[in-house]
Amino acid sequence: MTGTTVPPEATVLVIGAGAEGVHEPLGRALANARAAGWDFLGVDPSVAAAARLKGSPGDVVTWMLSAFVPQLVLVTDDVDPGGELPAGTDVLAVTSMQLVHALARVLGVPPTTWRTGQEVGADQITEPDDDSVRGLQQKLLGLRAGGLQVVEHTPRASIVIACHNLDSYAHEVMRSSLDQTFDDYEVVVVDDGSTDRTAEILRSYATNPKVRVVTQPNIGGTGRMDLVQNRLIRESRGEFVAWVGGDDVNTPRRLEVQVQAFDDDPGLDVCHAGAHFIDELGRVTGRGFRPPVPYDDLSMLRQIIHTNLVGAPSVMIRRSALERHGLFEQGLASDYHFWLKTAGILRYRYLPHVLVHYRRHSQSLSTSASGVERTVRDSMRLRSLVLAARPLVDFFPELRGGQHVRAEAEASIALGNALLQLDAQLALQAYDTALGHGSADAFHNAAIAHVFAGQADQALACARTAASLDPTCAALQEAWSGRGESQVALRQPRGHLLPAVQEARRLLGGSARRWDGTTLQTRRAYLAFAPGREDLARAALQIWSTRTHSTNPLRWILPARPGQAQDAFADLVSLAAGLSLDDAADITIEEVEDLSMLPPQEDQANVLPDTERRLVGSLSSEADLGVFTRWVGECQMDLARRGFESWLPA
């Protein structure tokens, strides 16, 4: 296959405050430059200090200089880069705003593109000197003045693997990655400074044309797993990037299934799936990933801030989405941070069947006792960062537009109440908007959160404020003096939030999508045919053909065992012989490992009392057929209530 021609790459390393975060102007500018094909790397010494487990921020700089050998190093705002800059390296001191403006000129966009207005003094930023910006612009353009280079065929998918001292499992992950039913892919594996036989084992696969092995000094051990993941992205070429742990196992159809999901939905950005847990010997020990709550485009951020919904080793991400949003950041739990910073921005989809076997063992970075403790601690830090960086309307996009002041205060209270189950300080951050509105309920709940945080003076101050705003909150002071905080219940939203959210979801229901790709306005049934009950299946299809219409927002999802979708289609055609389904509502066949792999119906995080109204089961008895018949009738009545009378069949 002929290659394509692209400008030759020249790596630029930027060291400075905000260089690693897409919530900062500099970080957003670098992310946009990467998305446009520039090879920019960023290091923020303050992030390096916060995210590391051991070593110094300078160790990160030294590693990046060694691993990527940049042609140019830009150090911003008198930041001490740390590390050792090799002799002969082209180093230039600039200001953040000089670089932001220079990149804006290079990319042909206004520099205000990368300001959110949330930065302190954003409206008072001094514009940099034009000559300095022009000089830096020419310096950057000069890096691309070397003509064109030929790049070989780009595979559709890349499996990327990070390994450190995993010689017991390296053969298994490599074999499973090479034993795929999908063919157009590569395997990129980074040995992150292993001291056992891992590197030797990986090199034994390097003769396979699909495999590329990269070795580097250990950086993951410092806690900067984000740098390891970004190295994998940089070394890979696929349109879609699929992660798997160096101690995990891919199932044979993983790439086939996930690439097909992207092909079926061009707007999809992130696809994740279910998993089985396995032990050191590869024995299945239980069901792994399944979203603990249902989610959709509108609700995902407020749910994932409370509970992680995505199993990282099952994830495939569109490369362009990674590049647009700044790759991975923030150390050990960088995958969770990526979900947090892109929830509600990128489109996520969950596939309810097993595509990965996830290994739990005593040496695991994430599942060992010490690993779990580190991950939990880092996840709390990331939640706090995202609460500070993303406005309340990102958590409740239904309230955008500024018309719901009381509902916004109640949203702040609802989010804080959910987070109080995890950490009192997180809850206090979430209550901040409602406190700013002078909500007595928010001060009441903040007092309880301060008690849980061991902050007696702040608790008493909040209790007094609550009582002064609303006499019914005086009971909190009484409890403080005698009965104890455990006998005082949290105040809940009083009735403005839920109606506002429900109305917005009704209006947005045709565009916002759920975890399974259906729109919010679509009522759906996951209903399987039972073996030996063709009579019930035929009767249900008869009901569907006569009582639904192709314009109805209804969908019958016919679950099929993995790899058996064609057989399920043949059964459907046979059972529907003589029935007219062309004018009926949609029937789709989707692979589902087991109905128990579907997310539960209710939001267990309880941010909002929201439920998924879906029918789940199989047509095994006349009673099941009766349930299905009533469900179809209820759906049609609901359509009428929602103003869709013209959609009803005659």
Side-chain angles (χ1 to χ4, degrees), residues 305-306 380 383-384 387 392 409 411-435 441-453 455 490:
I305 192 76
H306 178 276
M380 290 297 184
R383 288 182 174 108
S384 180
L387 280 170
L392 183 65
S412 172
I413 292 170
L415 186 62
N417 290 355
L419 290 173
L420 189 56
Q421 303 170 36
L422 293 177
D423 182 80
Q425 294 297 341
L426 292 176
L428 288 167
Q429 276 188 264
Y431 290 141
D432 189 61
T433 297
L435 293 173
D441 291 346
F443 279 101
H444 177 280
N445 290 0
I448 296 174
H450 279 302
V451 170
F452 289 152
Q455 300 164 340
L490 288 170

Side-chain angles (χ1 to χ4, degrees), residues 14-21 24 42-50 57 60 79 224:
V14 178
I15 306 172
E20 294 193 49
E24 301 289 341
V43 176
D44 183 336
S46 64
V47 172
V60 173
V79 167
R224 293 304 305 268

Side-chain angles (χ1 to χ4, degrees), residues 194-240:
S194 296
T195 57
D196 61 3
R197 294 182 58 249
T198 298
E200 175 188 344
I201 293 170
L202 297 177
R203 283 194 297 270
S204 71
Y205 291 89
T207 56
N208 189 310
K210 287 188 180 295
V211 176
R212 184 175 181 203
V213 178
V214 179
T215 59
Q216 65 181 29
N218 179 242
I219 192 68
T222 70
R224 293 304 305 268
M225 282 303 299
D226 54 325
L227 300 182
V228 179
Q229 304 297 358
N230 290 343
R231 181 79 188 268
L232 287 165
I233 297 168
R234 175 188 170 86
E235 300 289 347
S236 63
R237 299 168 298 144
E239 179 184 358
F240 308 110

